[in-house]
Amino acid sequence: MAATSDQAAEQITEAVLHNLAGTGDARLGEILQALVRHLHAFAREVRLTEPEWMAGIEFLTAVGQACTDTRQEFILLSDTHGLSALVDVLTQDTPAGATESTVLGPFYLPGSPARANGESMAVHDPATPAVIRGRVLALDGTALAGATIDVWQTDSSGFYAVQQPGTQPEDNLRGVYTTDAEGRYELVTVRPVEYEVPTDGPVGDLLLAEGRHAWRAAHIHAIVSCPGYRRVVTHLFDGDRGYLDSDAVFGVKPSLVRTFTPASADDGSTVCTLENDFVLVPEQG
Ligand code: BEZ
Ligand code: FE
C-alpha cells in the first residue's frame, strides 16, 4: 500500500476510535474500541478486498438467518472457532480440585424435567444404559444436599431431543437431578456417543472449506448448581471414545475425561457405571 493510502487507512481507524471515546458505558467503550482496532488491523494484515468483505457480510447474514428458537448458529460459529473455549478459559479461574467448566454449546434448554435419583432420563433410546453416581461436594469436602445437576446429551444417533422434534420425545435425555441429604445423586442415562455438530448450515460450509471435521468427543453436559456456590457448566467425556484430541469445539479438558466401566446386568445385558463427584467453589472463594 502506498504511503498516502497507509495514512488514509490510519486516519479512518483513528476517527472511529475517536468517535467511540464518548461511549457512555466505559466497559462497552473499551470493548468496542479494541474490537475496531483488531478488525481494522485484520483488514490491513490480509489486505481485505471488497469482494472478500462482501463475502464476509453475506456469510454473517447467513449465520443470522440460520438461527431459530432452537438453533444458534452464532454460538456454533464461536464454538467451532475456539472463541467459546477461549472465553471459558479466560474467565474461569477454577482452583485445583474443583470441577472445571467447559463450553455450554447451543443445545441447552432450560426447564428440563426434575428427575428422582435412580430415574432414567433415556425416555427413548436403545443404547447401552449408563448409571452415573456420586456426590456434589464443596472444595473443602463438605457434602452439598439439595444441589442440582441439570443434564443433557444426545441419543445414540447423535442428536439432541431439541434437534428432532417429532422423532424424539422432547424430554428425552435431559433432566434435573437433586442431591440427597448426603449430597448423593444417581442419574441413569445411556453411554454417550461421538456426534457431529450441525453441518447443514453456513458454519458447516465453512468447516468444509477449512478442511475440518465436525465431530465432538462423546460427552454428557451438566450444569451443577447449589446456593452459595459458583455454578459450573461442564461435561463428562467418555475416555474410551474418539476425538478427545480433536474435539471440533476445543472443549476437552483432561480433568473432565472419565472411564465408564461396563458390567453385566442380571438379565445379561451390559450396563456402564461411572462414579463421579462434582466439586463446587464457594461463591466468595
Ligand atoms: C454441544 O456439545 O452440544 C455442542 C457444542 C458446541 C457446538 C455444537 C454442539
Ligand atoms: Fe453436546
Side-chain angles (χ1 to χ4, degrees):
M1 213 188 300
T4 48
S5 26
D6 267 353
Q7 278 167 355
E10 207 48 60
Q11 279 169 7
I12 291 170
T13 304
E14 286 309 318
V16 180
L17 292 176
H18 178 78
N19 279 6
L20 290 174
T23 307
D25 179 321
R27 175 66 177 154
L28 181 61
E30 180 186 357
I31 289 171
L32 291 175
Q33 290 198 29
L35 183 63
V36 165
R37 270 198 315 274
H38 287 276
L39 266 181
H40 287 210
F42 147 76
R44 279 191 195 88
E45 180 183 325
V46 302
R47 309 290 292 262
L48 196 67
T49 66
E50 207 156 335
E52 289 163 348
W53 167 83
M54 185 46 92
I57 299 283
E58 283 169 359
F59 172 74
L60 290 174
T61 304
V63 170
Q65 286 169 343
C67 294
T68 67
D69 285 352
T70 54
R71 176 165 183 158
Q72 233 305 351
E73 196 79 356
F74 274 111
I75 296 186
L76 190 59
L77 178 60
S78 163
D79 291 342
T80 50
H81 290 76
L83 184 61
S84 314
L86 178 66
V87 170
D88 170 53
V89 167
L90 291 174
T91 55
Q92 302 296 321
D93 153 35
T94 309
T99 299
E100 287 196 281
S101 57
T102 187
V103 295
L104 175 67
F107 296 120
Y108 173 62
L109 263 195
S112 287
R115 304 217 184 256
N117 282 312
E119 178 186 341
S120 178
M121 64 177 196
V123 180
H124 168 78
D125 202 308
T128 310
V131 178
I132 303 173
R133 60 170 81 91
R135 290 173 301 166
V136 177
L137 303 169
L139 201 49
D140 67 1
T142 309
L144 299 177
T148 56
I149 309 164
D150 193 343
V151 198
W152 70 106
Q153 71 176 89
T154 70
D155 71 357
S156 51
S157 66
F159 292 99
Y160 290 89
V162 70
Q163 294 176 278
Q164 294 190 311
T167 302
Q168 290 186 49
E170 66 175 331
D171 288 340
N172 194 35
L173 293 163
R174 52 194 286 253
V176 181
Y177 292 82
T178 302
T179 55
D180 67 13
E182 274 98 47
R184 297 193 173 280
Y185 73 91
E186 178 171 305
L187 73 92
V188 181
T189 182
V190 291
R191 190 167 182 176
V193 295
E194 305 92 337
Y195 67 89
E196 283 188 298
V197 301
T199 55
D200 57 346
V203 174
D205 294 342
L206 186 61
L207 289 174
L208 198 63
E210 292 166 346
R212 294 171 54 195
H213 76 69
W215 289 91
R216 287 228 61 201
H219 61 274
I220 298 174
H221 295 259
I223 299 178
V224 189
S225 316
C226 186
Y229 293 83
R230 280 197 237 155
R231 186 183 85 127
V232 66
V233 176
T234 190
H235 288 15
L236 295 171
F237 288 98
D238 185 335
D240 289 318
R241 301 232 198 243
Y243 304 107
L244 290 162
D245 292 334
S246 64
D247 182 38
V249 307
F250 311 95
V252 179
K253 293 181 180 177
S255 74
L256 303 180
V257 179
R258 298 285 181 275
T259 302
F260 287 74
T261 308
S264 284
D266 294 344
D267 63 1
S269 62
T270 301
V271 179
C272 285
T273 57
L274 171 62
E275 300 287 333
N276 175 73
D277 290 342
F278 293 104
V279 180
L280 299 183
V281 180
E283 229 145 41
Q284 307 309 327

